[in-house]
Amino acid sequence: MNAEIDVSQVVLKTERLTLRPWKESDLEDFYEYARVDGVGQMAGWLPHKDREESRKILRMFIDEKKTFAIEYEGKVIGSVGIERYDEEKLPEFQEKAGRELGFVLSKDYWGRGIMPEAVRRIIRYLFDEIGLDFLACGHYVENERSKRVQEKCGFRHYRLVKTETSYGEERDCWLSVLDRASGN
Ligand SMILES: CC(C)(COP(=O)(O)OP(=O)(O)OC[C@H]1O[C@@H](n2cnc3c(N)ncnc32)[C@H](O)[C@@H]1OP(=O)(O)O)[C@@H](O)C(=O)NCCC(=O)NCCS
């Protein structure tokens, strides 16, 4: 089952990063990476067309209290969402408390191990402090970069599923699972 989550007061630190709630003043940083072609598409959404679109999503991040901003050298360069997983796709997890991670990083910062660093810290927070039993994480079958991030963080492929993008396209997606008991 999906656990209740509220990260609106939570700040986590890693060697290079601060993971913290989103603020309205993050709009320029957000729009700067969300408008770039080839970023959002890999996570199921299209590049933002204008600042207004980014402003609406940013407002949603703040209201829904489940998404961390990734701050690096004073700038927001990505996000990690503690999303609700699809309970119909993982019915055997009904007795366990879990969520699904979703993440995006500004293209300018790819390939430096930043997302694995952020995701590892958030996994530790969700297992050790919140007490979740498991985490799910998905990637489109062709998304090798996300697959590598997930592998490096301990996730293993669990089930091939169909998902729908925010713009109504059906895609094949590998759903991976990380169990707290696996020691990660
Ligand atoms: C997936 C994503 C978060 C990876 O973050 P990251 O911090 O770059 O992750 P890493 O640095 O660990 O790199 C992951 C893999 O990308 C590849 N990579 C390395 N350098 C790269 C570069 N400069 N450009 C592109 N890809 C690169 C490598 O295969 C690397 O795996 P490796 O460690 O086995 O070499 C980022 O590419 C992204 O935001 N992509 C678009 C959105 C997305 O796919 N989100 C996930 C949805 S499921």
Coordinates of all heavy atoms in Angstrom, one line a residue, residues 13-14 119-130 135 184:
K13 N 21.2 16.3 3.6 CA 22.5 16.7 3.0 C 23.3 15.5 2.5 O 23.2 14.4 3.1 CB 23.3 17.4 4.0 CG 22.7 18.6 4.6 CD 23.2 19.8 3.8 CE 22.7 21.1 4.5 NZ 23.0 22.3 3.7
T14 N 24.0 15.7 1.4 CA 25.0 14.7 1.0 C 26.3 15.4 0.8 O 26.4 16.6 1.1 CB 24.6 14.0 -0.3 OG1 24.8 15.0 -1.4 CG2 23.2 13.5 -0.3
V119 N 19.6 10.0 -4.8 CA 18.6 8.9 -4.6 C 19.1 8.0 -3.4 O 18.2 7.6 -2.6 CB 18.5 8.0 -5.9 CG1 17.7 6.7 -5.6 CG2 17.8 8.9 -6.9
R120 N 20.4 7.7 -3.3 CA 20.8 6.9 -2.1 C 20.4 7.5 -0.8 O 20.0 6.9 0.1 CB 22.3 6.7 -2.2 CG 22.8 5.7 -3.1 CD 24.3 5.3 -2.9 NE 24.8 4.6 -4.1 CZ 25.5 5.2 -5.0 NH1 25.9 6.5 -4.9 NH2 25.9 4.5 -6.1
R121 N 20.6 8.9 -0.7 CA 20.3 9.6 0.5 C 18.8 9.5 0.8 O 18.4 9.3 2.0 CB 20.8 11.0 0.4 CG 20.5 11.9 1.7 CD 21.4 11.4 2.9 NE 21.0 12.0 4.1 CZ 20.1 11.6 4.9 NH1 19.4 10.4 4.7 NH2 19.8 12.2 6.1
I122 N 18.0 9.6 -0.2 CA 16.5 9.6 0.0 C 16.1 8.2 0.3 O 15.2 8.0 1.2 CB 15.8 10.2 -1.3 CG1 16.1 11.7 -1.3 CG2 14.3 9.9 -1.3 CD1 15.7 12.4 -2.6
I123 N 16.7 7.2 -0.2 CA 16.4 5.8 0.1 C 16.6 5.6 1.6 O 15.8 5.1 2.4 CB 17.2 4.8 -0.7 CG1 16.8 4.8 -2.2 CG2 17.1 3.4 -0.1 CD1 17.6 4.0 -3.1
R124 N 17.8 6.1 2.1 CA 18.2 5.9 3.5 C 17.1 6.6 4.4 O 16.7 6.1 5.4 CB 19.6 6.5 3.7 CG 20.2 6.1 5.0 CD 21.7 6.0 4.8 NE 22.4 7.1 4.3 CZ 22.7 8.2 5.0 NH1 22.5 8.3 6.3 NH2 23.4 9.2 4.5
Y125 N 16.7 7.8 4.0 CA 15.7 8.6 4.8 C 14.4 7.8 4.8 O 13.8 7.6 5.9 CB 15.5 10.0 4.1 CG 14.3 10.7 4.5 CD1 14.1 11.2 5.8 CD2 13.2 10.8 3.7 CE1 13.0 11.8 6.2 CE2 12.0 11.4 4.1 CZ 11.9 11.9 5.3 OH 10.8 12.5 5.7
L126 N 14.0 7.3 3.7 CA 12.6 6.6 3.6 C 12.6 5.3 4.4 O 11.6 4.9 5.0 CB 12.2 6.4 2.2 CG 11.9 7.7 1.4 CD1 11.7 7.5 -0.1 CD2 10.6 8.4 2.0
F127 N 13.7 4.6 4.3 CA 13.8 3.3 5.0 C 14.1 3.5 6.5 O 13.4 2.9 7.4 CB 14.9 2.4 4.4 CG 14.4 1.7 3.1 CD1 15.4 1.1 2.3 CD2 13.1 1.6 2.7 CE1 15.0 0.5 1.1 CE2 12.7 1.0 1.6 CZ 13.7 0.5 0.7
D128 N 15.1 4.3 6.8 CA 15.6 4.4 8.2 C 14.7 5.4 9.1 O 14.5 5.1 10.3 CB 17.0 4.8 8.3 CG 17.9 3.8 7.6 OD1 17.4 2.7 7.2 OD2 19.1 4.1 7.4
E129 N 14.3 6.5 8.5 CA 13.5 7.4 9.3 C 12.0 7.3 9.2 O 11.3 7.4 10.1 CB 14.0 8.9 8.9 CG 15.4 9.1 9.4 CD 15.9 10.5 9.0 OE1 15.2 11.5 9.4 OE2 16.9 10.7 8.4
I130 N 11.5 7.0 8.0 CA 10.1 6.9 7.8 C 9.6 5.5 7.9 O 8.5 5.2 8.3 CB 9.7 7.4 6.3 CG1 10.2 8.9 6.2 CG2 8.2 7.3 6.1 CD1 9.6 9.8 7.2
L135 N 10.6 0.2 -1.9 CA 10.4 1.3 -2.9 C 10.4 0.7 -4.3 O 11.1 -0.2 -4.6 CB 11.6 2.2 -2.8 CG 11.6 3.2 -1.6 CD1 13.0 3.8 -1.4 CD2 10.6 4.3 -1.8
N184 N 19.9 -2.5 1.7 CA 20.4 -1.3 1.0 C 19.9 0.0 1.8 O 18.9 0.0 2.4 CB 19.8 -1.2 -0.4 CG 20.5 -2.1 -1.3 OD1 21.6 -1.8 -1.7 ND2 19.9 -3.2 -1.6

